[in-house]
Amino acid sequence: VTHTYDPVSIAYWQAMGGEYGDDDNDDEDSWSNDLTASLTTVQGNFSNVDVFYIDGNGHCSFGLQYALQEDGFEEFAEGILTEQQLLRKTASSAPYLALSAVLGSILTLLASLSRSRSENKSEEPHDETYYKEDLLDKQSLAEKTANAVSPMVPFAQRFEKCPITSGLFLTTTVYFLAMLIFGGFEHPLNNPSLGPSAATLSTFGINNPTLVVTKNQILRLFTSPVVCSGVITYLMFTSFIFKCMRHVEAAISSNIVFGAVLLVIAFGSNLIYTLCGEGASCGSLALALGMNTFSIAMSRKYGFDLQFPRLWVSTFFATLFAVTLLPFNSWIMIVAAMSIGAFVAPFIVNMDDYFVKQNHLERLSKVPLIVISAVYSVIFILILSNVPKPDVAYQYPYLTGCAMMYTPDLDAVMGDFGGERRLQEEMEAERELGDYDGLCAQFCVPHLINRPFEWSVAKYTDYEMSRGKCEDIGYDAHAADKTITYFGYSLDVEGYYSSGDDDDKN
């Protein structure tokens, strides 16, 4: 952000050899041409640089406090900050989602065809008078397709006992790797699960009730179950896939029934979180934990004959670990998924005559499924009607990973930590322009250390520290910004003062 006339820049320009003599207009044009050429060169060399010119006298800045007061800046910045749209979805993540879903669907289809082919082989009679031609005449189109396609992909036979689980795992894995390549890794304080930033997670479809309700981003209800917040949650998800979920699908032995259970847990937990929660939460770990409790419930209901795993201990400790240390995995969504898996999903599965009922639809209890669908429809309508009122601050993805706090004791803080002088000097300069008292600083503390930080400040310092924003206590005018870095962690601090427009606020 720069100005059309900048005395400081002119002084540097002169020191570097620029001539500034008697003809001010010509020299000013010469300085302006050199500055423009220099900035144009930088823009040409770096794709992530852009320049905004303010018509007036002032010094250039990387901050936005001056630019935000200028007409036209919001339109200029919108082209940078607003993601381009592709088929009404964010262009940056839509291709990755499509690729992941297609690969997962192909694997599921091939594994299902391979299983169908294996089942048909086991039913073939071994009489020598049985001719293959008669068998082919009696086969359905799906069975003929299975016979034709499955030999082309031998590896699909490895997944024929759990085709949907295999497809889900492949989809989640490809999408997770794409997200890491796209967004990289955030500082562990901001994302303890060792993953990307909150903004990247939002781009890739993490469930954010504020965006679902206020921006009608309904697709997040369906993308959240394949989003992992980081490496730790991905490893936990993978572990439960291999230890439990694939065995559950093999025990049910029906794509239709298992798919219904998966959908009931995944969609239901996201609906409940959107209705009751706020912030942002991934759904992959919640789905895996929900399938764990479903497996436990089915094992208790039908015994060990059908070999449903009982992962009591690992489910308990994984839940405890996630809800306490992994902020992008909401306890509301996890508890909802586990409750649905334990107390709701078992009612839609009928395994009483498992070895007798060969028609998979007979294993699906239709009345409970209709009731669940009706309840989900009501919740969905409430969401579409904007009945939930999540915090509007979370429409900015960055804030979903931390809690806003402020202190009106900025003078004391800057006095104790004198090394950070620029913020103090800028705010003091701003204060000279108006008649007001006091300075306020606000910052966003990561959820992982939010409560310990709040407790330690209250116990060991005399600073007044509260949750919220400076504007909550009447500091409505922005003065300056400062990024403070300690031990590799950067904290953005915003300084505010009270303009005095509202005596009640003061």
Side-chain angles (χ1 to χ4, degrees):
V1 178
T2 188
H3 295 73
T4 54
Y5 184 81
D6 187 343
V8 177
S9 179
I10 292 175
Y12 279 103
W13 176 69
Q14 287 179 299
M16 291 185 292
E19 296 295 334
Y20 203 85
D22 295 332
D23 193 344
D24 288 346
N25 290 331
D26 291 342
D27 290 329
E28 183 179 331
D29 291 340
S30 178
W31 161 79
S32 178
N33 291 335
D34 287 349
L35 176 66
T36 302
S38 176
L39 293 176
T40 301
T41 300
V42 174
Q43 288 179 269
N45 293 336
F46 302 95
S47 60
N48 62 338
V49 175
D50 211 337
V51 182
F52 180 77
Y53 293 92
I54 298 177
D55 186 12
N57 186 340
H59 184 40
C60 59
S61 170
F62 288 105
L64 304 180
Q65 59 266 31
Y66 301 114
L68 287 170
Q69 303 174 27
E70 297 294 322
D71 294 335
F73 177 73
E74 291 188 4
E75 290 76 9
F76 166 82
E78 184 178 6
I80 302 173
L81 302 178
T82 302
E83 297 183 47
Q84 300 299 316
Q85 300 294 306
L86 176 66
L87 300 177
R88 302 182 64 84
K89 313 296 183 298
T90 54
S92 54
S93 63
Y96 304 126
L97 178 61
L99 174 63
S100 305
V102 168
L103 292 177
S105 300
I106 291 175
L107 180 58
T108 297
L109 175 62
L110 293 176
S112 299
L113 293 176
S114 179
R115 181 169 68 180
S116 176
R117 185 169 181 266
S118 299
E119 291 175 352
N120 291 337
K121 280 186 176 182
S122 65
E123 295 175 2
E124 289 181 6
H126 299 285
D127 191 345
E128 294 181 355
T129 60
Y130 185 83
Y131 295 97
K132 293 292 183 181
E133 292 78 5
D134 295 335
L135 176 63
L136 291 175
D137 291 339
K138 297 178 181 179
Q139 285 180 327
S140 65
L141 178 61
E143 292 168 339
K144 293 179 180 179
T145 305
N147 286 328
V149 175
S150 59
M152 299 171 57
V153 190
F155 75 90
Q157 298 175 0
R158 304 176 183 179
F159 311 103
E160 62 182 22
K161 292 184 178 180
C162 50
I164 295 180
T165 301
S166 302
L168 174 64
F169 175 70
L170 180 60
T171 300
T172 304
T173 299
V174 174
Y175 201 45
F176 178 68
L177 293 177
M179 183 173 63
L180 290 183
I181 294 173
F182 176 88
F185 290 90
E186 181 70 344
H187 193 284
L189 284 180
N190 291 329
N191 188 347
S193 58
L194 306 181
S197 65
T200 300
L201 289 172
S202 180
T203 299
F204 277 74
I206 191 175
N207 190 346
N208 183 332
T210 302
L211 297 179
V212 173
V213 174
T214 62
K215 304 295 183 179
N216 292 323
Q217 297 184 8
I218 303 300
L219 185 63
R220 293 181 181 273
L221 299 175
F222 302 95
T223 57
S224 173
V226 296
V227 177
C228 296
S229 61
V231 174
I232 293 178
T233 51
Y234 173 76
L235 293 177
M236 295 170 67
F237 173 79
T238 301
S239 174
F240 291 135
I241 282 280
F242 283 91
K243 290 183 178 180
C244 181
M245 193 180 298
R246 67 189 182 104
H247 297 296
V248 172
E249 183 174 7
I252 293 178
S253 189
S254 168
N255 287 358
I256 296 175
V257 178
F258 181 78
V261 171
L262 209 64
L263 185 61
V264 165
I265 296 176
F267 190 52
S269 59
N270 277 273
L271 283 176
I272 294 174
Y273 175 68
T274 305
L275 184 67
C276 306
E278 59 182 14
S281 178
C282 299
S284 58
L285 182 58
L287 173 60
L289 292 172
M291 291 302 299
N292 286 4
T293 57
F294 170 77
S295 180
I296 294 172
M298 293 296 287
S299 179
R300 291 176 59 86
K301 184 176 181 181
Y302 295 104
F304 292 97
D305 293 339
L306 299 180
Q307 299 180 348
F308 284 100
R310 292 189 177 188
L311 303 182
W312 288 96
V313 177
S314 57
T315 300
F316 171 78
F317 283 105
T319 302
L320 184 64
F321 178 74
V323 300
T324 55
L325 297 178
L326 305 179
F328 292 110
N329 296 270
S330 170
W331 69 269
I332 295 178
M333 183 178 290
I334 290 177
V335 171
M338 295 176 66
S339 299
I340 293 173
F343 306 111
V344 178
F347 286 101
I348 69 174
V349 182
N350 182 8
M351 307 286 288
D352 291 332
D353 298 318
Y354 174 79
F355 297 104
V356 176
K357 295 179 178 178
Q358 299 301 320
N359 185 348
H360 293 177
L361 288 176
E362 293 181 7
R363 301 178 192 166
L364 198 63
S365 299
K366 297 180 180 56
V367 174
L369 186 61
I370 293 174
V371 173
I372 294 172
S373 301
V375 174
Y376 283 7
S377 299
V378 171
I379 298 176
F380 188 68
I381 292 173
L382 293 177
I383 292 173
L384 293 179
S385 303
N386 294 336
V387 172
K389 301 297 180 184
D391 191 341
V392 294
Y394 292 126
Q395 63 181 311
Y396 304 103
Y398 168 75
L399 296 180
T400 61
C402 53
M404 288 298 299
M405 301 190 71
Y406 68 87
T407 174
D409 297 333
L410 181 58
D411 291 330
V413 174
M414 299 308 293
D416 293 340
F417 300 92
E420 304 294 346
R421 300 300 306 171
R422 182 172 179 180
L423 176 63
Q424 192 175 22
E425 292 171 358
E426 289 182 3
M427 294 189 66
E428 291 293 345
E430 291 282 353
R431 180 158 55 180
E432 293 177 1
L433 301 177
D435 182 16
Y436 60 89
D437 296 321
L439 300 171
C440 176
Q442 69 181 31
F443 40 88
C444 211
V445 181
H447 288 304
L448 180 65
I449 61 171
N450 180 23
R451 295 189 183 279
F453 174 79
E454 190 175 7
W455 175 83
S456 60
V457 169
K459 184 172 180 62
Y460 297 108
T461 73
D462 295 327
Y463 306 138
E464 180 184 346
M465 201 82 65
S466 304
R467 297 193 178 211
K469 304 178 188 177
C470 289
E471 64 182 22
D472 296 338
I473 56 173
Y475 292 85
D476 54 348
H478 180 265
D481 298 323
K482 177 64 180 178
T483 299
I484 303 175
T485 302
Y486 288 107
F487 301 105
Y489 179 76
S490 298
L491 180 67
D492 296 324
V493 181
E494 299 175 298
Y496 286 81
Y497 63 89
S498 178
S499 64
D501 293 337
D502 189 341
D503 294 335
D504 294 335
K505 284 186 178 181
N506 290 334

